[in-house]
Structures are given as C-alpha cells and as structure tokens.
Amino acid sequence: MMKNYKILAKKELMAQRVTSFLILLAILLSTMMTTALSQSMGVLSAMRQQQAIALGGDRYATFLQMDERQAAILEKDSRLSFVGKYVTLGSMEINTSLTLGLNEYEEDVAAVYPSLSRLKEGRLPDAPMEIALPEDVLQYLGFAGKPGDTIHLALSKALRHGIERESCDFAADFVLVGITEGNYLNYTGGGVSGIVGEGTAKVLLPERYLYYNVDIRTRDRKEFQDTMDDLILTLSVHELDTLYNVVYLEALGIRYDGEKVDTELSGQGFSYMLAAGIMVGVLLLFAAGLVIYNILKIAVSRRIGQYGVLRAMGGERGQLYFLVTAQVIILCAVGIPAGLLFGILSAKGILTAATGLLPPEIFLVQNAEELNRLIAENSSGKGIFLSAGAVITLFSAFLAAAPAARYAAKVSPVTAMAGRPVKIKRRNRKARRIYSFEAFYARLNLRRSPGRTAITILSLIMSITVFIVLQSFTSLLDTSADMQEHLGDYSVVNEQTGISPRELKALKADGNVSAVAAEQFSLYDLDEQNRPIGMETDISLGMGETFQIFGLNDCWMDHVFSESLTLEQLDQIKNGEGCVIRNPIPMQVEGIEIGTTHIEEGSYITVAGKEMQVLLSLSGYDMYFSVGNSGFTNGVQVMVSDRLYPELTGEENYKELRPILTKDADRAAFDENLVQFCRRIPGSVSVSYEQTDRQLAESFEQIRLLAWGLILFVALIGLLNIVNTVYTGIHTRVAEIGMQRAIGMSGTSLYKVFLWEGAYYGMIASAIGAAAGYLAVMFIEAAAAGEIRIIPLPVMPMLLAAISAIGACLIATCIPLKKVSRMSIVESIERVE
C-alpha cells in the first residue's frame, strides 16, 4: 500500500510543478548557503591565522633567557611539536622612539616570522657577521649602501630585562647581505628587528651573555596551558621570562590563563567567529524552513478535498502523513546533492574572485601560488562536514514539512469533502477617508490571512537579520585589533631640553591638528639612604628603585584613565588634588629582593611639600609610563596633572607630544610642518604611526574582502528566498486575481495592490529584522567583550538590508504578476496550478 502512496507522491509533485519547483529551490538554496558558509568559514579562519602569524609569528609562546640545559630539555619534550631557538645579539637606540634589536635565528626565520624576513633585495644571512636590515631602518641610520657593503653598529646587551645595570657594550662591522621590507607593526612598542647570521653571537658576546629565546608550539592545543605550567615549574622559569603569542592563541581558539599574560584580552580562547557562523547558519536554515512550511501549508490547504477522498476510501492517518513528507524527501534527494555541489563551487568562486582583485602581498603571502594553495587547502570539501550539512538541511526540511503533514493526516473525510465554510467577521469600524484604495486593499489582504502574512514576514526577517549579523561579525576576525593601541598619529620626543608650552600651543593651532596629548617627565635616582636626589617626599623607597614624576595634560589623562577613574576623580587629579601611583615590580637578583615599595590606593603622600591623595594604585604588570618607547625604568611613578607638575619639579617643558590629526587633515603638509618643528627645537625626534596603521589595515584587508564576498553571496541567496516566498503567495491567488479583474479592477490597479503588499512586507520585515539584527550583533559583541553593553547602531547594514528587502519584494511581486495579468479572466478563475 505504501508503494502506491510513493507513486502518488511522485504524481502530486509532477501535477503541482510550480509548488514543487519552489520547494526544491528553497532546499537547494538553503543547502548552498550552509555549504558555502562552512567552506568560506574554513578559509576565513585560515586567513585569520595567517594574519596572526604575520603579526606575532608562528609560535604559541616563547621562553626567554634559557641556558643550553633548559633549551635541550625543551627540544626533547615530546609534548612540543615545534621548538626553535634564537639568540638576541643586542640592541641600539636609533632615536628616542625606536630601538633596533638584532637576533640570530637557529630556526627557520622565514617560516616562523614571515613578516620579518620578506626580502626586498639580496638574501638572508647565513654566516657569522652577516646581517639583513629593514629598508626603513637603513633610512633612519642614514645608510645609503647596498648589499655587499659594510655597516658599523654599536650595540648593547643587558641581563635580566635591564633590572641589573650591568650590560655588555660593543661595536662591530657587519656585511649587509639583505634588505628586508619595512615592518612597522612594532613602531608603537618602539622596537624594530634585524637578522644576523648564525655564529655571530659567539664571535661578539661573552659566554655569560649567550642565552636563548625558545619558541614553542604544543602538540595538543587543549593541553597548552597545562604544558606551559609544567614547563615553567620544571625549568624554574621566572614569570618575566614567558611570552605568550596572544594574537595567535586567540586566532586558533587555544585556551590560556589570562592572569599569566600581560594583556587586556579575555583569555577564554573561544572562537566567537565560529559562534557567529553557527548563529548565521541557524538563521539561514530557519528562513528556508519557513519558506518550505509556507508553501506546503498552502498546497495542503488547497488539496484538502483530495485528502478527504483518500480518507473516505480507507486511507490511514499515517499514510497521509507519509504522502506529504515523501514529497519533501524526494525533493531533498534532488536538491541537497545539487546544493552541496553548487555551494562548494560558489564558495571557491567567491574566494578566488575576491583574492584575484588584489596582489598576493596584501594577503600576507609571497606569491599567487601560495595564496591559491592556502585557499585550496581550506576550501576543499570535508566529507564529515558536508555530510553533517546535508543531514541538518534534511532534518530542517522535515521539521518544516511536519506541521503540514500533520494537518493533512488529521483531516476529517466528511469535513474535507463538504468544503470549508467561509466565516466572515465584521467589526465596528469608523468611517474614514481612503486616500489610496490600492494601499487600503493591500492592508486588508495582509490582515485577511494573518498566519500566512506572519510566516512570509518572518522569513524576510531571518534574511535581513543574517545580512546585518554577517556584516558586523567581520570585526571579530581581525586579529590586528588585539595589537597594542597607540595614542595619537605621531610621537614627538625631546629628552634633552624638552618642548616649551609655547611650542605646544603653536602645534595645537595647526589646522590639521584636532588635539595634542602631552607628557612631562622627571627621574630622580636615590642616594645611599634610598632618598630621591633633588626631591623631597615622605615615600620610603627600596634599594635599586628610582623616583619618577609624570605630568599629563587633559588629553593624555582622559585617554589613559577614563575607564579606571570616575569623572569626579578625573576632575580631582586634573585640578591638582590627587595623583596615580605606579608601584615598582618586586624582583630578586642574586637572592636580593629589590622593588619593595608599595603605596596603597586611598592613602596620602607628600611630594615637594604638596600632600595628595592616591586615587589609583597600579601594581604588578599593569600599565607603565615612559617617554617615547624607552621602556619601564623600575621605581615609583607618580602621575599628576601638567598644571601641578611645574609646582612639584620647577620645570614646565614637555618631553613628549602626541599630535592627533583631523579626519580631513593634509598629512603631507603636516609632515612638512613637523619637520620644521623638530628643526626649530634641537634634539626633537618624531615618529609617524601612519605606516603602522596602514600595515595593520592591510593585514585585515584579506579577511574583509573574503567576508564581503560571503556576505554578498548569502545576501543574494536571501533575496532569492524572498522572491520565492512572495511568488508563492501570489501564485496561490491566481483565481482570486481573476475574480477581481472580472468585477472590474483594472490591470494598473491590480499591480498597485500587489506592489503595496510587497512594500508592506519589506517595510515591516525591515523594521523587525533591523531590531533583531541589532540584538544579535549585541549578543556577539557581548560574548567577545565578556559583558553586555550598548553598541552603536549598524546604520549602513540596516539601510542596505531594508532597501534590498523592499526592492526584492517589489521585484518578487512583479515577476509572477506580469504573467498572471496577461492570462484571460476565465483562465485565471479556472486555473488549478
């Protein structure tokens, strides 16, 4: 008997060809969307990891200052999949804002640190006393030579992070064998790197200065932190000697202990990109399911009489249920394989087209072949994921068909064959003027079948929500957002004479400048009784410490303390009635503890006869302050307003300025003015962060382009789903359209009625979809930030989604209506399918 119902199911599919095609199209599109989404997510994830490697290297963590014994233990540890060593040869100050560090790599530097080793000319060093330097460093050094020439450098290497004052100072001549591309990513941290050939360190450094920095990757990502903790304990590694590659760990979704990392990131290691992808996939399947449900429900309602005849002939409920679901299963058997194939091809086509528009270098790879290999490796169909996608799509289609099948199975033979009486409910209405009959009639049509209207609008809402979420979640893919932020567009430092308030005022008056953050600084060494030389204070200082006073203007103060101080406290410190303390880092050197001073928040201190309340106390590895990028000098740091600083120190000049340009600034003109500014004040040095910002932006350009290709593809599929939904609504009302024309409605008026309906669908769905999309984006942002907060409205995505939805509804209305309007009145009334 079931065999006969299978045949009947096939015959019904052939008899209702338009309905079958629409359901098949919904299944195919939903499968294409989920497949393309999963495939593209794989490539986006790989490109995100590629970006993280370019920013921080292909390493999970680095152990600093390891001796040969410790390095050998790490190399033999079976829990580590990669162990690479390099020796820091030394560093030299290029200017007060930039320091050049030279490293001798015993690992494959091109594989681990690709952004440091991209050659512009020559080759990488492989022999003692050979060197490769970035082109920007050579410009700062004033070196105009070429590969093969000799360059003279004066270097210094300190022990234990500079806590010991002892250092090894030396000068040497190197043979320049390579010029690498400029790498500006570490400009905000004040460091640039060069590469020397293997064996150079043994030639130039005493044996006690020959220690290794060891890069590692673990075999088991889930056990990363446990492995790190065990290695730190086993090797007795100091807490300052572990460096986590947070950017890469976040990109890989590896869990790490955020308390052990000097970072403001959450440290949960959870891939919010994956969460956003799952949310989008669920919304897509829900939207497609609503389309299938709407079409099937309409089709079943129109054939309720036939099902009544089948029940009267002895058909059972289970057989009728099977009859409806078998139609969906047959369509899934055709649509899902085709959707999988088209989804894979579409994803690959999107990625290839997007990447083909730009040179490979912007995607952080060396050439087009490497880029194509990266895409191919991560966009190939994974059997398990494709199978899972097919099962999920089949399951969602079956759920969408279940209500219609249940409705057909429960039908009463007598009721179905007798027909359903039409109940007309009239409400008391106030007489009002109708300004547009077509718009009024369209609103009546929407209220006439509220269930169908709700389903149609809901399917549109899902597509709009997906569009908004996809545009907003791309920010989660940017690993460069985890890099250190910088204040201002430039740094101007003068540690010799300083910069006068008059010069600061002149710089603020520049039309290209919106604001200038300014910093003053004084450092006082201690005498034999550990008292600051030249400064009176009641603070008891420890051995090996220093006493430092920083004066910050309002702009710098707001940038640093706006989140850690209340508005009342900010006003208090700006008025010279309070201060912020940065306590020294406790250290032990050769068994002697230094950095023992600790000042509590809320206490009062006296400096130069001025009593101040400590509004904030920073300890451990919280933020530190310095001039330019000279690094942290261990000691007590007192931050006050630049209004109070001259009273405490007797000095008023600033040591560092950070100009912030306007959005429409003429950067070339400002650069020229800044050159003249530095020439006018001897000892002034400026560094532009423009190259840093540009390189960070380009590192994210790869992901943004690929994500936009995916967004546009999904948006197109969503628009086709809208066309599908509206088309179904019009197609099922062919007889009604014929009746309206029979009683005198003109073709123009008929068009206006349905166009108004389409516009109402789009406007209502756009309003609700924008709200739903905003809530979804807020949820994703809250998950990434670890707290729920109000975020700016994504205005442009909302407008684009609204315009697209309304336009799609109007187009979806015109396509079937044009054909229906050409049919004769009799043919329209008598038409069954």
Side-chain angles (χ1 to χ4, degrees):
M1 185 66 178
M2 281 296 180
K3 182 178 180 181
N4 295 331
Y5 276 91
K6 290 181 183 178
I7 298 174
L8 181 58
K10 293 179 182 178
K11 288 185 176 180
E12 283 207 357
L13 288 177
M14 297 303 297
Q16 47 189 21
R17 290 185 298 275
V18 175
T19 302
S20 300
F21 173 76
L22 294 176
I23 297 175
L24 178 63
L25 184 61
I27 294 171
L28 188 144
L29 293 179
S30 62
T31 307
M32 281 183 64
M33 285 188 291
T34 53
T35 303
L37 186 65
S38 62
Q39 295 292 298
S40 299
M41 280 295 180
V43 176
L44 287 173
S45 178
M47 300 301 270
R48 183 171 183 254
Q49 294 169 21
Q50 187 83 357
Q51 182 195 28
I53 290 173
L55 297 176
D58 190 7
R59 59 182 180 85
Y60 296 169
T62 300
F63 290 107
L64 305 177
Q65 302 189 156
M66 298 287 100
D67 56 33
E68 290 189 4
R69 180 189 64 83
Q70 292 171 312
I73 293 175
L74 289 171
E75 289 176 330
K76 295 177 182 179
D77 197 310
S78 60
R79 294 170 297 179
L80 304 180
S81 61
F82 168 77
V83 177
K85 300 185 299 183
Y86 67 93
V87 178
T88 298
L89 182 66
S91 62
M92 65 172 291
E93 187 178 89
I94 299 176
N95 54 46
T96 53
S97 296
L98 289 177
T99 299
L100 169 64
L102 297 181
N103 296 318
E104 176 189 317
Y105 292 93
E106 295 183 14
E107 58 193 4
D108 186 355
V109 61
V112 182
Y113 297 97
S115 59
L116 298 180
S117 55
R118 290 199 181 115
L119 286 167
K120 187 171 184 180
E121 189 177 352
R123 60 175 176 84
L124 293 178
D126 55 16
M129 306 309 295
E130 292 183 344
I131 191 172
L133 293 174
E135 57 178 334
D136 55 312
V137 170
L138 294 175
Q139 292 173 3
Y140 275 114
L141 294 175
F143 182 79
K146 59 184 183 300
D149 293 344
T150 300
I151 183 170
H152 183 80
L153 300 176
L155 303 169
S156 176
K157 184 173 184 179
L159 294 177
R160 303 302 307 174
H161 305 282
I163 297 301
E164 285 189 9
R165 296 181 181 272
E166 179 184 355
S167 63
C168 176
D169 301 323
F170 60 96
D173 291 326
F174 298 88
V175 178
L176 182 69
V177 297
I179 300 176
T180 58
E181 294 182 1
N183 183 27
Y184 307 92
L185 296 176
N186 292 320
Y187 266 37
T188 54
V192 288
S193 298
I195 304 170
V196 297
E198 191 169 345
T200 304
K202 290 184 178 180
V203 173
L204 296 176
L205 293 177
E207 186 176 352
R208 65 189 298 246
Y209 286 86
L210 283 173
Y211 49 77
Y212 297 97
N213 298 328
V214 185
D215 297 326
I216 67 164
R217 294 195 298 268
T218 59
R219 295 187 186 278
D220 190 345
R221 294 179 180 179
K222 296 180 181 179
E223 300 297 327
F224 167 74
Q225 190 59 62
D226 292 338
T227 303
M228 287 291 295
D229 292 340
D230 182 66
L231 290 173
I232 291 171
L233 181 63
T234 302
L235 300 175
S236 300
V237 180
H238 192 278
E239 57 185 331
L240 286 179
D241 290 338
T242 55
L243 182 64
Y244 289 73
N245 188 2
V246 174
V247 176
Y248 196 28
L249 294 176
E250 289 284 332
L252 293 172
I254 296 177
R255 294 182 180 274
Y256 62 92
D257 190 347
E259 295 181 356
K260 300 180 181 180
V261 181
D262 185 15
T263 177
E264 297 179 356
L265 297 176
S266 62
Q268 297 300 315
F270 179 76
S271 177
Y272 297 111
M273 179 187 69
L274 179 60
I278 293 174
M279 177 183 291
V280 169
V282 170
L283 292 175
L284 292 174
L285 290 173
F286 190 39
L290 288 173
V291 174
I292 296 173
Y293 168 78
N294 197 20
I295 297 172
L296 273 178
K297 186 66 182 295
I298 294 171
V300 169
S301 299
R302 294 174 61 193
R303 285 164 176 77
I304 201 69
Q306 298 178 20
Y307 298 141
V309 173
L310 290 174
R311 288 296 308 278
M313 293 172 59
E316 299 177 358
R317 288 187 175 184
Q319 292 171 327
L320 290 181
Y321 194 96
F322 173 80
L323 177 62
V324 177
T325 55
Q327 298 177 44
V328 176
I329 294 174
I330 293 172
L331 293 175
C332 285
V334 178
I336 290 178
L340 291 174
L341 177 61
F342 290 143
I344 294 173
L345 295 176
S346 299
K348 189 173 182 179
I350 292 169
L351 299 171
T352 303
T355 55
L357 297 175
L358 296 170
E361 289 78 12
I362 200 172
F363 295 92
L364 307 177
V365 293
Q366 296 286 351
N367 49 51
E369 290 74 16
E370 185 178 343
L371 177 61
N372 292 331
R373 178 188 57 78
L374 183 66
I375 293 175
E377 288 178 355
N378 293 277
S379 62
S380 58
K382 308 292 191 302
I384 185 170
F385 296 112
L386 295 180
S387 299
V391 171
I392 292 173
T393 304
L394 179 62
F395 181 69
S396 64
F398 180 79
L399 287 180
R406 191 181 302 111
Y407 175 66
K410 290 182 178 180
V411 66
S412 168
V414 177
T415 303
M417 296 175 68
R420 293 181 299 172
V422 179
K423 296 182 180 180
I424 300 176
K425 295 182 180 180
R426 297 187 181 276
R427 299 177 181 177
N428 294 326
R429 295 176 181 165
K430 295 181 180 180
R432 290 183 298 180
R433 182 178 179 182
I434 299 175
Y435 293 93
S436 173
F437 171 76
E438 290 82 4
F440 173 74
Y441 191 40
R443 292 193 295 271
L444 290 180
N445 285 339
L446 294 180
R447 292 197 295 266
R448 183 181 61 180
S449 181
R452 181 186 302 178
T453 300
I455 293 297
T456 302
I457 292 177
L458 193 56
S459 64
L460 301 180
I461 291 172
M462 293 300 102
S463 296
I464 294 171
T465 304
V466 166
F467 183 77
I468 295 174
V469 169
L470 275 176
Q471 289 198 70
S472 301
F473 97 106
T474 53
S475 61
L476 297 176
L477 303 174
D478 187 9
T479 60
S480 67
D482 299 334
M483 297 293 288
Q484 179 182 1
E485 294 184 0
H486 60 81
L487 170 62
D489 296 295
Y490 296 80
S491 172
V492 184
V493 177
N494 188 313
E495 293 188 276
Q496 299 175 9
T497 61
I499 303 170
S500 68
R502 180 173 55 83
E503 293 288 356
L504 170 61
K505 184 177 180 180
L507 187 60
K508 287 182 178 179
D510 191 307
N512 292 309
V513 177
S514 63
V516 179
E519 178 184 66
Q520 299 160 317
F521 173 65
S522 293
L523 183 144
Y524 303 89
D525 289 322
L526 306 186
D527 59 18
E528 295 179 354
Q529 286 75 38
N530 292 334
R531 298 172 184 169
I533 302 174
M535 176 58 62
E536 294 183 2
T537 178
D538 62 351
I539 299 175
S540 178
L541 298 169
M543 183 182 67
E545 297 177 355
T546 59
F547 186 73
Q548 307 163 40
I549 301 178
F550 286 84
L552 308 178
N553 73 344
D554 291 352
C555 180
W556 202 306
M557 196 82 70
D558 290 336
H559 175 78
V560 177
F561 298 124
S562 60
E563 295 184 358
S564 52
L565 294 178
T566 65
L567 292 176
E568 182 180 353
Q569 289 175 323
L570 273 175
D571 290 338
Q572 188 176 348
I573 193 173
K574 289 177 182 178
N575 294 330
E577 300 171 356
C579 66
V580 174
I581 293 293
R582 172 67 168 81
N583 291 303
I585 299 176
M587 295 290 297
Q588 279 192 351
V589 178
E590 297 180 355
I592 302 175
E593 187 175 85
I594 65 173
T596 57
T597 304
H598 184 82
I599 302 172
E600 297 289 341
E601 185 174 313
S603 62
Y604 286 83
I605 63 170
T606 301
V607 178
K610 173 73 174 180
E611 187 180 58
M612 297 174 289
Q613 183 182 9
V614 179
L615 302 176
L616 179 65
S617 179
L618 304 172
S619 300
Y621 302 103
D622 291 338
M623 68 180 81
Y624 65 84
F625 294 82
S626 65
V627 175
N629 294 294
S630 56
F632 175 57
T633 302
N634 204 29
V636 176
Q637 296 184 331
V638 182
M639 273 64 67
V640 298
S641 168
D642 63 344
R643 299 178 182 88
L644 179 61
Y645 179 86
E647 180 183 335
L648 301 179
T649 64
E651 300 178 6
E652 62 177 4
N653 285 355
Y654 294 87
K655 293 299 175 70
E656 182 175 11
L657 305 182
R658 295 286 185 93
I660 303 171
L661 301 190
T662 60
K663 291 183 179 180
D664 56 348
D666 184 345
R667 190 174 287 270
F670 179 78
D671 286 344
E672 180 61 30
N673 291 341
L674 194 59
V675 169
Q676 299 301 324
F677 181 91
C678 293
R679 287 177 179 173
R680 190 168 62 250
I681 308 173
S684 297
V685 177
S686 68
V687 172
S688 171
Y689 295 137
E690 177 188 12
Q691 295 281 16
T692 301
D693 296 335
R694 178 191 59 77
Q695 196 164 351
L696 286 174
E698 286 184 354
S699 73
F700 179 55
E701 187 69 15
Q702 49 161 332
I703 296 175
R704 189 184 68 83
L705 284 174
L706 299 183
W708 261 104
L710 175 62
I711 289 170
L712 294 177
F713 173 74
V714 172
L716 177 61
I717 301 299
L719 293 179
L720 291 176
N721 251 340
I722 293 175
V723 173
N724 196 350
T725 303
V726 178
Y727 184 95
T728 303
I730 292 178
H731 184 79
T732 55
R733 294 162 63 180
V734 172
E736 177 186 325
I737 293 172
M739 187 64 69
Q740 290 171 339
R741 293 185 61 203
I743 61 177
M745 179 176 284
S746 66
T748 301
S749 185
L750 177 67
Y751 262 88
K752 288 182 179 180
V753 170
F754 281 93
L755 288 174
W756 270 111
E757 284 190 38
Y760 281 134
Y761 280 137
M763 288 187 289
I764 297 172
S766 296
I768 302 175
Y774 177 73
L775 292 176
V777 172
M778 185 183 294
F779 166 76
I780 295 174
E781 294 288 345
E787 61 178 353
I788 298 178
R789 56 188 178 185
I790 302 299
I791 61 175
L793 283 174
V795 178
M796 288 306 298
M798 288 180 175
L799 288 177
L800 287 173
I803 294 172
S804 301
I806 295 173
C809 287
L810 295 177
I811 294 173
T813 302
C814 293
I815 294 174
L817 192 59
K818 186 175 182 180
K819 180 179 179 181
V820 171
S821 63
R822 291 177 178 176
M823 298 172 59
S824 67
I825 295 176
V826 176
E827 184 180 357
S828 298
I829 297 174
E830 293 180 345
R831 183 174 175 84
V832 177
E833 179 63 38

